Amino acid sequence: MTTSTAPGWFTRRKARSAATNKPGLFGYAFLVIVILLALFPLYWSLLIGSGDSSTINKQNIDWLPGGNFLKNAAAVVNDPSVGFWRALTNSIIVSTVVSFSVVLFSTLAGYAFAKLRFRGSRPMLMFIIATMAVPTQLGIVPLFIAMSQWLHLSGTLLAVILPALVTAFGVFWMTQYLTQALPDELIEAARVDGASMIRTFWHVGLPAARPAAAMLALFTFVATWTNFFWPFIILDSNNPTLPVALSLLQSNYFVDYSIVLAGVLLSTIPLLILFAVAGRQLVSGIMQGAIKG
């Protein structure tokens, strides 16, 4: 009697457990609040950027966007001191090259640390992870000296690209993912079939790393696109990236924040387009990787 009722009891318990794991009203309300808080700075920028110079000083601000956004955006684009189109092109070049290089080198290093056995691999990985604890500001002075005096790259895009060709976070990210998502049996089977190390990586390791590589590329592109600190130091006003160029809008004695925030929104539009185009593919890739893992 006990053996006959046990499977039914287990099934009912599993069904009740699955039902209780579904998000309830509180969970959805919490997600809505988080989304609204995340979108509020963007909407606030739209309110100010679509108004005039007096909008930010109003005590009773109108919570509906005004009709001056296109005018303010045109003022940003046509400002000769900003050089919007040149700065936009520079940001696209830097973000694309850095994202590609970070994904390539991080995937190679992550594959090596995750699946290859060589002396000193663990200490080397720990050292790479430890560098993430070092603030970026500590290395700015020697980096500036190296780029300006040794390599003579001050004011060029190479000075922004070279220090960002690979990141410690990217290596750690790909190492952790490949350790779990890539079975050792696949690598051994490829070696038995006579595949070289590079061919094994290209046909086995790289396809398995695609979901994590896609997310790393997106994170890197956004971080590089919005990076202001190092480009502001090493680049000049004649060859800036977009965040550096938009900072020139605040160099006057009087700062019109409606134009400044209109420029901020303009710089955000390419990222929103990127998320809209690649978001669904990235989510599906992550789910496929999770199922395979």
Side-chain angles (χ1 to χ4, degrees):
M1 180 176 179
T2 305
T3 58
S4 61
T5 58
W9 172 82
F10 179 77
T11 303
R12 290 193 299 270
R13 182 176 180 181
K14 186 176 180 180
R16 287 195 300 268
S17 177
T20 55
N21 288 334
K22 293 182 179 180
L25 181 62
F26 176 79
Y28 283 111
F30 177 76
L31 290 177
V32 170
I33 293 174
V34 171
I35 292 173
L36 291 177
L37 291 176
L39 291 178
F40 179 75
L42 191 63
Y43 186 71
W44 177 262
S45 299
L46 178 61
L47 290 178
I48 305 301
S50 60
D52 51 29
S53 59
S54 62
T55 302
I56 196 171
N57 296 321
K58 291 182 179 179
Q59 294 183 353
N60 298 321
I61 188 173
D62 189 3
W63 290 98
L64 294 177
N68 295 329
F69 177 75
L70 294 179
K71 178 182 176 181
N72 295 334
V76 175
V77 173
N78 298 324
D79 192 336
S81 64
V82 174
F84 180 82
W85 296 114
R86 181 178 180 85
L88 178 64
T89 304
N90 289 342
S91 289
I92 293 175
I93 293 174
V94 171
S95 300
T96 303
V97 173
V98 169
S99 299
F100 178 80
S101 66
V102 166
V103 170
L104 176 62
F105 292 127
S106 297
T107 306
L108 284 169
Y111 178 80
F113 283 122
K115 296 302 174 181
L116 302 182
R117 300 293 178 262
F118 56 94
R119 182 176 299 177
S121 60
R122 287 302 169 187
M124 289 176 61
L125 181 60
M126 294 301 296
F127 176 78
I128 292 174
I129 296 174
T131 60
M132 297 171 60
V134 180
T136 305
Q137 292 79 1
L138 292 181
I140 288 298
V141 174
L143 183 60
F144 180 80
I145 295 174
M147 290 297 167
S148 59
Q149 298 183 10
W150 297 351
L151 300 179
H152 304 286
L153 295 177
S154 179
T156 65
L157 296 182
L158 279 177
V160 181
I161 294 174
L162 288 180
L165 287 178
V166 64
T167 60
F169 172 77
V171 174
F172 172 72
W173 173 277
M174 297 308 301
T175 301
Q176 293 299 109
Y177 182 83
L178 289 173
T179 300
Q180 301 178 1
L182 182 58
D184 294 334
E185 291 77 6
L186 291 178
I187 300 176
E188 294 175 359
R191 291 177 177 174
V192 170
D193 291 339
S196 62
M197 184 182 301
I198 297 298
R199 188 175 181 182
T200 302
F201 167 78
W202 186 258
H203 292 283
V204 178
L206 193 59
R210 282 178 182 174
M215 288 302 300
L216 179 61
L218 182 61
F219 292 155
T220 305
F221 190 94
V222 173
T224 307
W225 185 275
T226 58
N227 186 21
F228 173 78
F229 183 61
W230 173 241
F232 178 75
I233 293 175
I234 197 63
L235 298 179
D236 51 37
S237 59
N238 296 323
N239 194 33
T241 55
L242 197 54
V244 177
L246 293 178
S247 68
L248 299 177
L249 294 172
Q250 305 182 58
S251 60
N252 299 326
Y253 180 77
F254 172 74
V255 179
D256 190 346
Y257 284 100
S258 62
I259 295 179
V260 172
L261 292 180
V264 171
L265 286 176
L266 285 178
S267 67
T268 309
I269 290 176
L271 297 181
L272 297 178
I273 295 175
L274 177 63
F275 274 97
V277 172
R280 183 173 298 178
Q281 288 78 5
L282 288 173
V283 172
S284 62
I286 293 172
M287 294 304 296
Q288 291 177 4
I291 294 174
K292 291 179 182 179

